[in-house]
Amino acid sequence: MQTDIRTACCALLLLLGALPAAAAEADSLRRTPAVEIGKGIAYRSPGGNFSLTMRLRMQNRIGLSFDRDFDFRELEARVKRLQVKLTGYVWSPKLVYNIQLGFAGHAANARSNSNIVGDAILYYRPSPAWSIGLGQAKIQANRAQITSSGLLQFVDRSIVNGEFNADRDFGLFVQYDLPRDEGFTFTAKSSVTLGEGRNWGRSTNGGLVYTRRLELYPLGRFKDKGESSEGDLAHEEEVRILLACAFSYNHKAVRTQGQRGDLLPDGASRNFGNWYADFLLKYRGFSFCTDFMGRTCRRPLFDDEARTWIYTGWGFNAQAGYVIRKKWEVALRNSMLFPGGKVQPRAGYERRSQTSLGVSRYLVGHAVKMQADLSYNHRARAVETDYTRWAIVFQLEVGL
């Protein structure tokens, strides 16, 4: 009996001696950043008043373009995107920051100067429903532009989005999400921004951009924020639908596309509006989306000597895809641009279209994937017929 008691006491003493070491080891594990492909490198301070998630993205691309007779025109080989994204909160989970830096030429070009800052914004989230941000971020206008370039089912966004998207700007951003996952719900987004695009700095003409967007989810929200990604990798078990519309009014814009494009001649400015309408459906690996967007401006042209002009008119894009066992996806897209009557002579065509066939191989979702697109371009009643008709692009994306 005494031997048993002595053995138990020794075991208790050993256990008590091991507790501090175990606690130290547990604390060390809590301090060690967690790493997961597709979700980044995550760290949270022991006190819980700071968190950081760092994500890295790389897009390497090779492309070939051909004329109408399939004669070689151009070879493209470059790093399309190289980005670092930092997200988390400071002091309180209600203060959320979002920083994105782009180091490749495509992402770093702003006002013809190299500038790596893409996003730099701090949000205050007093409740799960409300979000108020101040800084530089994407204007929440159309679905195609809101969707990250790393979450596409094609190598690039459509030519329609390329002409009419609102891009990034500095200002105040407000969002309200009706806190409901099942059944009808909606999201309302609003912003007031400077108007001249990212990294501009200051404006002397007093013009601002006012943007409003309303998103309706009649059958409930998508899995894994599927409204912000293309392709149904989440494999929705129930039909999910997004209906959305937006309008962005740019007062005294000094660039041809508002937040992007060339400066207007002789210090001129113009008022114009961009409008958007989106539809998205996902169900059991199948996805379909369509986008309508356009631009209106009363005086889109300048004198004949000025090459600068504002593209008015509208465009339409439709695309569909099917994901096979969450590994392969085949997608088809058709995009069309219709310049307004006043600017058709400057555009050089009555209608421009692009039809693309895309094949994607997902290794780790959208984080690590290989994509290949075959596209055919056509311009109705084109002034110049010497333009790229066929394009083949292969892209490798790796994200952490």
Side-chain angles (χ1 to χ4, degrees), residues 75-89:
L75 169 65
E76 176 190 15
R78 59 173 169 149
V79 178
K80 181 64 181 292
R81 290 181 176 87
L82 180 62
Q83 297 177 342
V84 176
K85 186 174 183 180
L86 308 173
T87 58
Y89 63 83

Side-chain angles (χ1 to χ4, degrees), residues 104-133:
H106 172 81
N109 192 335
R111 297 174 60 194
S112 300
N113 297 315
S114 180
N115 197 318
I116 67 173
V117 180
D119 295 334
I121 188 168
L122 181 67
Y123 293 99
Y124 173 56
R125 294 178 176 169
S127 69
W130 285 97
S131 176
I132 304 169

Side-chain angles (χ1 to χ4, degrees), residues 154-363:
F154 291 89
V155 170
D156 270 324
R157 299 181 179 94
S158 71
I159 58 173
V160 181
N161 179 79
E163 188 59 56
F164 296 118
N165 80 80
D167 203 58
R168 287 175 165 88
D169 210 353
F170 187 97
L172 179 67
F173 299 81
V174 180
Q175 179 172 325
Y176 174 77
D177 299 291
L178 185 66
R180 183 185 302 166
D181 292 328
E182 298 297 329
F184 175 82
T185 185
F186 71 88
T187 295
K189 303 176 181 180
S190 179
S191 65
V192 179
T193 57
L194 185 66
E196 275 67 64
R198 66 188 186 101
N199 309 308
W200 186 268
R202 63 184 65 186
S203 176
T204 59
N205 64 7
L208 297 173
V209 175
Y210 308 90
T211 305
R212 305 289 184 272
R213 176 176 171 84
L214 178 63
E215 299 176 349
L216 304 178
Y217 302 88
L219 302 176
R221 298 192 182 273
F222 294 75
K223 288 182 182 178
D224 302 329
K225 297 182 179 180
E227 69 278 6
S228 300
S229 66
E230 294 185 351
D232 185 20
L233 288 176
H235 201 84
E236 296 283 356
E237 293 299 329
E238 303 291 337
V239 176
R240 289 293 181 261
I241 292 175
L242 163 68
L243 294 166
C245 61
F247 185 78
S248 183
Y249 176 71
N250 197 324
H251 182 229
K252 294 184 178 181
V254 299
R255 302 173 73 177
T256 55
Q257 295 174 297
Q259 293 79 20
R260 302 173 298 120
D262 298 329
L263 288 172
L264 301 183
D266 301 323
S269 65
R270 289 290 188 270
N271 301 330
F272 57 77
N274 288 358
W275 55 268
Y276 308 92
D278 311 322
F279 172 81
L280 173 64
L281 180 148
K282 293 186 178 184
Y283 180 59
R284 294 191 176 183
F286 172 78
S287 63
F288 172 79
C289 61
T290 182
D291 311 290
F292 295 85
M293 57 191 84
R295 180 180 296 122
T296 59
C297 179
R298 293 181 60 186
R299 295 183 296 153
L301 300 178
F302 300 87
D303 58 71
D304 293 336
E305 296 181 357
R307 295 184 177 181
T308 305
W309 52 283
I310 297 172
Y311 193 112
T312 57
W314 67 286
F316 164 79
N317 175 71
Q319 61 192 67
Y322 183 73
V323 178
I324 304 170
R325 293 185 296 181
K326 297 185 179 181
K327 294 181 179 180
W328 290 91
E329 182 178 29
V330 179
L332 184 66
R333 177 174 71 191
N334 186 57
S335 308
M336 305 186 75
L337 281 168
F338 302 89
K342 291 183 180 180
V343 304
Q344 272 190 23
R346 297 293 185 95
Y349 56 84
E350 185 179 82
R351 182 184 70 254
R352 177 185 174 189
S353 64
Q354 183 184 76
T355 302
S356 300
L357 173 66
V359 177
S360 300
R361 173 65 169 97
Y362 300 104
L363 301 176

